[in-house]
Amino acid sequence: MEGDHIKINKWLLPFSWLYGLVVGLRNELFELNILKTRRFDIPVISVGNITVGGSGKTPHVEYLVRLLKDKMKVAVLSRGYKRKSHGYVLANEDTPMREIGDEPYQMKTKFPDIRVAVDKKRCEGIDRLTSDEETKDTDVILLDDAFQHRYVQPGINILLVDYHRLIIYDKLLPAGRLREPLSGKHRADIVIITKCPKSLNPIDYRVLSKAMELYPFQQLYFTTLEYCDLEPIFNKGKNIPLTEIRGKNILLLAGIASPKQLELDLNSFTGNNALTILSFPDHHAFTAKDINRINETFANMDEPKLIVTTEKDQARLIDVERLSDEVKENIYALPIKVRFMLDKEETFNQKIISYVRKNSRNSILAKREDDHKSKDSHHSGHRPRTISFRDN
């Protein structure tokens, strides 16, 4: 069931209480406006979570990119976790992965026409994106993994919750994997339970919806993973449909935080006894020892065989040395997309598009002109109204 992959280290609970005091104090300082939060005159959408580890942020940011990129100029701003550079970096087609991090590199590779930037200080990153000559015409900024970065007040705050690690069953660090108390979920405008099994039935949705205990203004969605054809990383061969891997021995190479649903889904394509798993930590930098382990594991597997890895791992594997020729000839990346369940995709899409259009800089300028006119004619009884996402 949905809570079965959560391990709580109960002996660490006293440290979790101390951690909770520190995080709670920080949040309270923001609530009291002692620590300042900035709003921007541009649509800003934040996608994040309150747990350590993967909840599907990158596929959901990519979903938003696909939704918006043909209608407006989209920028993605990330911290650039584990990159070797410092400060603000705007990616171009030649920017190496080490300068921006694996996830921004993945997005820039898949969507070369969007702006992808990294900056640990998100406010400064937004200032650069909206003022630098080459990016100042940006229409909307997507913040990747910024739910705890409270110095920015996004127009829409999207919280992702992994179905296999529901936050309602988790504990604060270090006993569990929560970055902040469960009450933090109430800052979200939209909550999405991700990586849901496709077999969920109506009662499951009702139970989960009630258990999340959201406010009436918060909107709850469920998404599941959809897999595309396998794409070769090194060779120039053809893509392989997943329906063609049954009967093959598969080595799953996964350096992601939460690979459980990927394992379950691949098993459905291969058969339960055909999957060998090499798991590494999230954002793992592959060492020479790791490469030898990959080479040896694959060499010892029976034919027919191939390697399946994630797009994020592909970004880190593409430049490593000493991969065997056999591995390079047989390693494929598995692109994933998210699909909204319960036929809620159009509802979600319209919420996002409506917010961006109503809060574009052109709309804000027009609104200011209307407000100015309204002040000049206040005797008419008309009062200006501020549009926010929760009004939609």
Side-chain angles (χ1 to χ4, degrees):
M1 188 52 185
E2 61 272 8
D4 58 358
H5 304 304
I6 296 179
K7 179 181 179 181
I8 305 299
N9 297 306
K10 293 183 178 180
W11 65 277
L12 290 173
L13 282 173
F15 299 99
S16 295
W17 298 332
L18 292 174
Y19 174 82
L21 288 175
V22 175
V23 175
L25 175 61
R26 177 180 184 269
N27 282 334
E28 188 64 23
L29 291 175
F30 277 107
E31 297 299 327
L32 295 173
N33 205 31
I34 296 172
L35 292 177
K36 304 296 183 181
T37 296
R38 284 184 61 188
R39 298 176 183 269
F40 293 86
D41 285 349
I42 185 173
V44 177
I45 301 173
S46 170
V47 180
N49 59 21
I50 61 173
T51 57
V52 175
S55 55
K57 291 185 298 294
T58 300
H60 284 79
V61 172
E62 290 182 353
Y63 181 94
L64 292 171
V65 170
R66 292 187 183 94
L67 176 64
L68 299 171
K69 69 182 180 66
D70 294 331
K71 304 175 181 67
M72 56 200 70
K73 292 181 173 62
V74 176
V76 176
L77 178 62
S78 172
R79 174 187 177 186
Y81 186 63
K82 286 195 174 183
R83 62 188 171 113
K84 302 301 182 182
S85 60
H86 300 281
Y88 176 83
V89 177
L90 178 67
N92 59 45
E93 60 182 11
D94 298 319
T95 303
M97 185 274 292
R98 64 180 179 275
E99 295 295 314
I100 55 175
D102 51 8
E103 291 168 342
Y105 180 84
Q106 173 185 324
M107 280 186 274
K108 185 61 179 176
T109 301
K110 293 178 73 171
F111 307 103
D113 293 334
I114 70 169
R115 289 86 186 262
V116 175
V118 294
D119 197 328
K120 183 178 180 180
K121 298 180 178 179
R122 305 310 208 288
C123 288
E124 294 182 9
I126 294 174
D127 285 336
R128 290 290 302 271
L129 282 168
T130 55
S131 61
D132 286 2
E133 189 64 33
E134 57 189 324
T135 58
K136 66 181 183 180
D137 60 345
T138 296
D139 295 308
V140 57
I141 295 175
L142 307 179
L143 294 183
D144 181 22
D145 196 13
F147 195 79
Q148 278 74 45
H149 194 86
R150 299 195 60 184
Y151 293 99
V152 176
Q153 177 61 59
I156 298 182
N157 219 353
I158 300 176
L159 173 65
L160 305 182
V161 177
D162 187 341
Y163 172 88
H164 298 284
R165 285 195 64 93
L166 289 178
I167 57 178
I168 54 177
Y169 302 127
D170 213 337
K171 298 292 184 182
L172 283 169
L173 290 167
R177 297 181 67 181
L178 292 183
R179 296 174 175 177
E180 62 174 296
L182 187 59
S183 59
K185 72 179 187 291
H186 296 313
R187 297 199 308 274
D189 301 294
I190 292 173
V191 177
I192 302 177
I193 298 181
T194 69
K195 304 180 184 178
C196 294
K198 297 177 179 63
S199 58
L200 284 187
N201 57 51
I203 194 170
D204 292 325
Y205 293 116
R206 291 195 294 271
V207 169
L208 288 171
S209 298
K210 183 177 181 180
M212 288 300 296
E213 295 184 336
L214 300 180
Y215 288 137
F217 71 82
Q218 295 179 294
Q219 298 166 1
L220 180 63
Y221 296 89
F222 299 84
T223 60
T224 188
L225 298 177
E226 294 283 352
Y227 300 102
C228 306
D229 292 349
L230 293 168
E231 299 178 353
I233 295 179
F234 294 101
N235 66 48
K236 301 301 181 182
K238 295 181 179 179
N239 293 354
I240 299 178
L242 281 176
T243 52
E244 295 183 9
I245 68 173
R246 182 168 291 275
K248 292 183 171 63
N249 294 301
I250 306 297
L251 174 61
L252 173 59
L253 176 58
I256 57 177
S258 182
K260 187 64 182 181
Q261 191 61 47
L262 177 59
E263 296 173 22
L264 294 172
D265 290 339
L266 273 182
N267 268 327
S268 69
F269 287 100
T270 64
N272 290 331
N273 297 321
L275 192 63
T276 301
I277 302 168
L278 280 183
S279 184
F280 297 91
D282 199 18
H283 302 282
H284 181 68
F286 293 102
T287 64
K289 183 179 179 180
D290 297 329
I291 300 305
N292 288 337
R293 183 182 172 199
I294 294 168
N295 291 340
E296 292 174 5
T297 301
F298 191 64
N300 292 329
M301 290 173 59
D302 294 332
E303 296 283 359
K305 59 184 179 179
L306 58 83
I307 303 175
V308 175
T309 192
T310 68
E311 291 180 292
K312 188 161 69 170
D313 289 305
Q314 173 185 348
R316 284 178 277 113
L317 285 167
I318 197 72
D319 292 325
V320 301
E321 299 178 353
R322 299 175 61 183
L323 282 174
S324 69
D325 290 340
E326 183 184 31
V327 166
K328 288 185 175 181
E329 290 171 3
N330 292 281
I331 188 167
Y332 290 77
L334 177 58
I336 60 175
K337 295 181 180 179
V338 296
R339 177 175 64 82
F340 281 80
M341 307 174 82
L342 299 175
D343 296 320
K344 294 293 186 179
E345 179 173 341
E346 190 59 30
T347 301
F348 177 84
N349 292 352
Q350 288 305 314
K351 288 291 183 184
I352 298 297
I353 294 171
S354 175
Y355 158 73
V356 174
R357 286 178 173 165
K358 287 182 179 179
N359 293 277
S360 69
R361 282 183 283 186
N362 288 336
S363 296
I364 290 171
L365 289 173
K367 179 183 176 298
R368 286 176 179 168
E369 291 178 1
D370 290 342
D371 288 349
H372 182 71
K373 293 176 182 178
S374 178
K375 289 178 182 178
D376 290 342
S377 59
H378 64 276
H379 59 275
S380 66
H382 296 293
R383 299 182 63 187
R385 175 173 178 266
T386 300
I387 297 174
S388 69
F389 170 72
R390 292 175 185 177
D391 295 326
N392 292 343

